[in-house]
Amino acid sequence: MPAARRRRPLPAIGSTSRALGLPMLLAAGALWPTLPLIAQEATLEGRWSGALTILGSDLGFSVDFTGSGAELAATMDIPTQGARGLPLTEVSEDGLTVHFELQAGPGLAVWHGDRAGDVIEGTFTQGGAAGTFTMAREGSAAADTDEPEEAVPYRQQELVVESGSVRLEGTLTLPEAGGPFPAVVMATGSGAQNRDEELFGFRPFRVIADYLTRRGIAVFRHDDRGVGGSSGNVALSTTSDFADDALAAIEMLASHDEIDADRIGIIGHSEGGVVAPIAASRSDAVSFVVLLAGTSVTGEQVIYEQGEAIARVAGQSPDQIADGLEIQRRIFAAIREERDIDEFRQELETIIREQIADASEEDLSVVADRDQFVTSQADQQIAQVNTPWFRYFLTFDPAGALRQTTVPVLALFGELDLQVTPSQNRPPMAEALGRNPDVTIHTLPGANHLFQSAITGSPAEYATLEKEFVPGFLELIGDWVIERTGTGTRPNN
């Protein structure tokens, strides 16, 4: 590096479609819209969602309150960090103010806010830094939600899948009549996701399940390991384990009286798009797969491409991007060689200090203890990659499983997807599936990684976009599945 200081980006050394690990909180999130005020309800009970703003970035979160008075309790979800059901302490509400705390990696995180109707606004402190937050009650006029208001024209059953020693809870949606039905099992992206694959109020898997079930296809979606009522731990598991989970779900559906065991497939998004071909290569029970933004190269290659693409859109210079990639490569080499990645701590702290030194006075005003902040940020970077899940993800090459997938395949990419870019993943996927006689691959114009209509495709846009898929996305999936299973109906809502 030349003697003259130039701002270096904080390297997101473990960036994937979902971050994982313990609550980090000080990591960058996506923007959240300003929420209006409405009349206040007496109780906090229910789910509230919003974002905290700190160091110029926003991080989305949700809080589930239960009980009231002395019995008031709460848990927190931080979707972009793969954190679900985190127990909160010191939860209190006196009618005007709301307070809760979370013991997290960088230190105790404290929220204290004023409540006005279905909106809470206040201050946040953690690890020597301070910020602000806003949250609104889900389902209220102050929060935008994709929850359908009408009664649905199909049945729903709560089921449990036993996958080895892991217990997975989920929802099966069944058409009203006409079975036995074809079915799909949903496989989520990386990180600990709920059965709807919920992110910033958008519930992609719920929307897909609703659409397909209305067209005569049963859908099973379940909470990931460690989420909701499911046992296990995502960070201590691997993509291979998640393929076993999908096959366990298929086995459960195959024994269901209203499911046709010969017509069960998997729809996987992001990492789920790797889970699906692994499962299909292991078992004849999988009759078709739909890959939504699935990868076809190693996780290491995906991370390099993803980081560079997102950095370019964010306006980083070529030198800044090169700096981030260079340290990523050295850390990943250490992981492959099973060396102690803690050796990079000092270098990471140096980069973080340089970033702080170049930050604006406004940003610096929220950092009370810079040394503590630097240490906590370096801890987060190292902890993020030092898990069984990440080590497997980094080196696994999906191309082998794709080559062994002989059932019908539909693969969809988003033109503006910066997390799984079509330019990197579509050609090798087509090559790996070259001997499969029934493969359909589409790139949807204007779509991001969540298949929303996007502006740049950056993850920073996710929370601000309409909570709906690009036109034709659902119809493409529905028509293809119905053609392969020989049943179903045209969409009639």
Side-chain angles (χ1 to χ4, degrees):
M1 177 182 292
R5 188 182 71 215
R6 52 188 171 85
R7 183 169 180 171
R8 301 174 69 185
L10 178 63
I13 57 179
S15 179
T16 62
S17 61
R18 298 284 196 280
L20 79 158
L22 296 175
M24 299 178 187
L25 299 177
L26 296 179
L31 299 175
W32 197 263
T34 301
L35 301 170
L37 305 179
I38 65 165
Q40 181 159 321
E41 290 187 19
T43 178
L44 275 177
E45 197 157 18
R47 186 172 179 85
W48 298 63
S49 293
L52 65 88
T53 301
I54 190 165
L55 293 175
S57 297
D58 292 346
L59 179 68
F61 67 94
S62 297
V63 176
D64 289 291
F65 292 100
T66 57
S68 60
E71 302 300 320
L72 183 63
T75 60
M76 175 175 287
D77 295 343
I78 310 172
T80 57
Q81 294 182 354
R84 304 280 178 174
L86 304 170
L88 300 178
T89 61
E90 302 300 323
V91 184
S92 64
E93 191 259 345
D94 65 6
L96 296 176
T97 62
V98 177
H99 182 96
F100 48 88
E101 301 176 1
L102 172 66
Q103 184 63 53
L108 185 67
V110 179
W111 284 259
H112 189 84
D114 297 319
R115 182 183 175 196
D118 285 323
V119 173
I120 301 170
E121 296 180 310
T123 59
F124 166 85
T125 58
Q126 183 194 28
T132 60
F133 74 92
T134 300
M135 57 194 297
R137 184 194 299 275
E138 289 195 2
S140 70
D144 186 14
T145 177
D146 61 4
E147 291 279 352
E149 297 180 358
E150 79 283 3
V152 294
Y154 50 79
R155 295 165 293 155
Q156 302 186 64
Q157 298 177 358
E158 300 304 303
L159 301 176
V160 173
V161 174
E162 301 292 341
S163 179
S165 62
V166 174
R167 180 180 188 273
L168 304 171
E169 292 191 354
T171 300
L172 174 65
T173 51
L174 283 163
E176 289 183 315
F181 306 103
V184 296
V185 170
M186 306 296 293
T188 66
S190 59
Q193 307 299 309
N194 68 16
R195 66 193 68 185
D196 294 331
E197 205 190 36
E198 181 179 355
L199 182 67
F200 295 118
F202 185 36
R203 302 174 176 86
F205 279 13
R206 177 189 174 128
V207 175
I208 293 172
D210 177 79
Y211 178 84
L212 293 180
T213 309
R214 290 171 186 264
R215 295 193 61 180
I217 302 159
V219 179
F220 180 71
R221 61 195 200 276
H222 64 83
D223 296 328
D224 285 350
R225 297 181 176 209
V227 177
S230 296
S231 65
N233 186 317
V234 164
L236 300 180
S237 308
T238 69
T239 311
S240 177
D241 296 324
F242 307 147
D244 289 339
D245 293 346
L247 290 174
I250 288 178
E251 183 179 0
M252 179 272 292
L253 291 180
S255 65
H256 194 288
D257 291 342
E258 296 187 76
I259 300 298
D260 185 342
D262 294 326
R263 296 184 295 169
I264 305 175
I266 303 174
I267 297 179
H269 176 235
S270 197
E271 185 188 11
V274 180
V275 167
I278 293 176
S281 68
R282 290 179 180 174
S283 173
D284 292 338
V286 183
S287 63
F288 61 89
V289 295
V290 178
L291 313 180
L292 307 177
T295 63
S296 58
V297 296
T298 66
E300 182 172 4
Q301 292 173 281
V302 170
I303 291 173
Y304 294 149
E305 174 82 4
Q306 176 187 113
E308 185 172 357
I310 293 173
R312 281 199 305 268
V313 169
Q316 292 184 8
S317 70
D319 285 341
Q320 288 176 321
I321 295 172
D323 285 344
L325 290 174
E326 191 270 338
I327 192 171
Q328 280 184 332
R329 289 191 177 96
R330 290 194 289 116
I331 291 175
F332 294 166
I335 291 174
R336 290 194 305 272
E337 296 163 11
E338 298 185 351
R339 304 199 320 264
D340 184 2
I341 61 174
D342 201 60
E343 68 184 77
F344 295 95
R345 180 182 301 278
Q346 184 174 351
E347 185 173 2
L348 285 171
E349 289 187 359
T350 298
I351 295 174
I352 297 166
R353 289 185 191 280
E354 289 183 1
Q355 186 182 48
I356 291 177
D358 289 337
S360 68
E361 289 300 321
E362 180 180 0
D363 284 347
L364 288 175
S365 67
V366 303
V367 181
D369 186 331
R370 297 189 188 183
D371 288 338
Q372 182 181 0
F373 177 76
V374 169
T375 299
S376 68
Q377 290 293 300
D379 287 345
Q380 292 169 28
Q381 292 286 322
I382 291 171
Q384 187 178 10
V385 299
N386 200 20
T387 64
W389 178 86
F390 189 84
R391 292 173 184 273
Y392 184 96
F393 170 82
L394 194 71
T395 59
F396 180 74
D397 188 351
L402 289 166
R403 292 190 187 97
Q404 297 176 55
T405 299
T406 58
V407 298
V409 176
L410 171 65
L412 302 182
F413 294 96
E415 177 190 26
L416 300 182
D417 188 346
L418 301 185
Q419 294 186 239
V420 177
T421 64
S423 60
Q424 180 189 50
N425 291 277
R426 178 169 176 165
M429 180 176 288
E431 181 179 358
L433 292 169
R435 294 187 178 181
N436 186 322
D438 189 353
V439 175
T440 304
I441 303 178
H442 284 296
T443 299
L444 281 77
N448 64 13
H449 187 63
L450 303 180
F451 294 92
Q452 298 167 292
S453 293
I455 301 170
T456 68
S458 170
E461 297 175 349
Y462 291 168
T464 65
L465 300 174
E466 293 293 328
K467 297 175 177 60
E468 61 187 23
F469 293 118
V470 293
F473 171 79
L474 291 170
E475 291 81 2
L476 188 58
I477 296 173
D479 291 347
W480 186 90
V481 172
I482 286 171
E483 184 177 345
R484 275 24 179 220
T485 59
T487 189
T489 64
R490 304 302 303 174
N492 56 14
N493 298 324

